[in-house]
Amino acid sequence: MKFYETTYILHPALQEGRLNDIIKTIQKKAESLGAEFLYSDNWGRKKLAYLIDKEKYGTYIFIQYKISNLNNLKELNSELEHNPNVLRYLNIKIEEQDIVQNFEKKEDEIIPIKEEKASSESTDKEEKASSESTDKEDKASSDTDDQNNQSEEDKESNTENSGEEE
Amino acid sequence: MAILGKTKICPFKEDPSLIKKINYKEHKFLKKFITDQGKIIPAHVTGVSAKYQRLITNEIKKARVIALLPFVVDPRQN
């Protein structure tokens, strides 16, 4: 058993229902040739770096599978080659460790970064708006390393506020 | 940079976590190693060690096939 991954670009004019049909037909053909699917992903509609068949955009599909017979792989390649909806395909042999297993974890990794950004932005806005509430939040969220900087910031904000009050 | 007498350290030896990013799927990261025209920047300019420069060139060439990176960019078009 050898592991492979394939990315192929589908025609941008295809609508969702038709797109899913083509993806399923390709998958069925591959499975009929003895391929065992391990991971599949739709990267969505992307801009191509250069024109392919006079098309600017394309939908990227990414699949990982294992297949035992090399001739079957060649047959799968020829089917992708002769399919008019497939603009381009790339077949690469991979190791077992390269298989994407926990794609849910990736989503978890992305979410906290967004939250951090949002929280930092919100604190900035609140600092501008009101000083007292932000001081509490900073104390709550501050790490040992950041305490010095934030205390300086607090002093600055306090002085500014005192000036405004006077 | 060698002409100026400044030695650059390989970014992958400074931060080994970047080695995972040498993949044709990470085309935004690989864009650092090509010029505006789409040429691969030589290792003596970027400071990448020979081991990782070999990997980078292979992955850039894969990304070009699947249209994630350009073969050439004509500066007159833009």
Side-chain angles (χ1 to χ4, degrees), chain A residues 5 7 9 43 46 49-50 60 62 88 90 92, chain B residues 24-25 27 62 64-71:
Chain A
E5 67 181 25
T7 37
I9 308 170
W43 294 354
K46 280 189 168 195
Y50 51 88
Y60 281 76
F62 175 70
R88 190 64 61 88
L90 178 72
I92 287 169
Chain B
Y24 72 97
K25 283 169 270 179
H27 60 283
K62 282 177 199 167
R64 280 173 176 172
V65 171
I66 204 77
L68 290 172
L69 290 177
F71 282 101

Side-chain angles (χ1 to χ4, degrees), chain B residues 40-75:
Chain B
I40 297 169
I41 302 173
H44 69 82
V45 177
T46 54
V48 180
S49 60
K51 183 181 175 184
Y52 298 118
Q53 182 71 12
R54 250 177 279 140
L55 297 177
I56 286 170
T57 50
N58 285 337
E59 297 301 321
I60 286 173
K61 284 168 185 177
K62 282 177 199 167
R64 280 173 176 172
V65 171
I66 204 77
L68 290 172
L69 290 177
F71 282 101
V72 282
V73 179
D74 193 345

Side-chain angles (χ1 to χ4, degrees), chain A residues 106-145:
Chain A
K106 265 193 174 179
E107 289 173 355
D108 290 338
E109 285 173 2
I110 294 162
I111 291 160
I113 294 161
K114 282 179 184 174
E115 283 177 354
E116 283 173 7
K117 280 181 184 176
S119 63
S120 64
E121 285 174 3
S122 64
T123 49
D124 289 340
K125 285 173 186 174
E126 283 171 10
E127 277 181 355
K128 287 173 187 173
S130 63
S131 64
E132 292 176 2
S133 62
T134 52
D135 289 347
K136 288 173 188 173
E137 284 183 6
D138 286 339
K139 282 170 186 172
S141 65
S142 63
D143 295 328
T144 53
D145 294 343

Side-chain angles (χ1 to χ4, degrees), chain A residues 55-148:
Chain A
E55 296 293 342
K56 270 188 181 178
Y57 296 88
T59 42
Y60 281 76
I61 312 292
F62 175 70
I63 49 174
Q64 288 181 324
Y65 51 91
K66 59 178 177 181
I67 204 163
S68 54
N69 197 343
L70 242 179
N71 290 328
N72 287 347
L73 188 74
K74 283 176 185 170
E75 227 171 282
L76 181 66
N77 281 357
S78 74
E79 273 170 13
L80 287 168
E81 184 84 47
H82 296 300
N83 193 334
N85 293 310
V86 178
L87 297 179
R88 190 64 61 88
Y89 72 95
L90 178 72
N91 222 335
I92 287 169
K93 189 188 166 192
I94 53 168
E95 300 297 324
E96 193 169 3
Q97 63 206 15
D98 296 330
I99 292 160
V100 186
Q101 287 177 338
N102 302 323
F103 57 96
E104 290 175 359
K105 273 190 181 177
K106 265 193 174 179
E107 289 173 355
D108 290 338
E109 285 173 2
I110 294 162
I111 291 160
I113 294 161
K114 282 179 184 174
E115 283 177 354
E116 283 173 7
K117 280 181 184 176
S119 63
S120 64
E121 285 174 3
S122 64
T123 49
D124 289 340
K125 285 173 186 174
E126 283 171 10
E127 277 181 355
K128 287 173 187 173
S130 63
S131 64
E132 292 176 2
S133 62
T134 52
D135 289 347
K136 288 173 188 173
E137 284 183 6
D138 286 339
K139 282 170 186 172
S141 65
S142 63
D143 295 328
T144 53
D145 294 343
D146 297 329
Q147 273 180 351
N148 295 324

Side-chain angles (χ1 to χ4, degrees), chain A residues 8 16 94 135 154:
Chain A
Y8 55 93
E16 265 194 33
I94 53 168
D135 289 347
D154 292 349

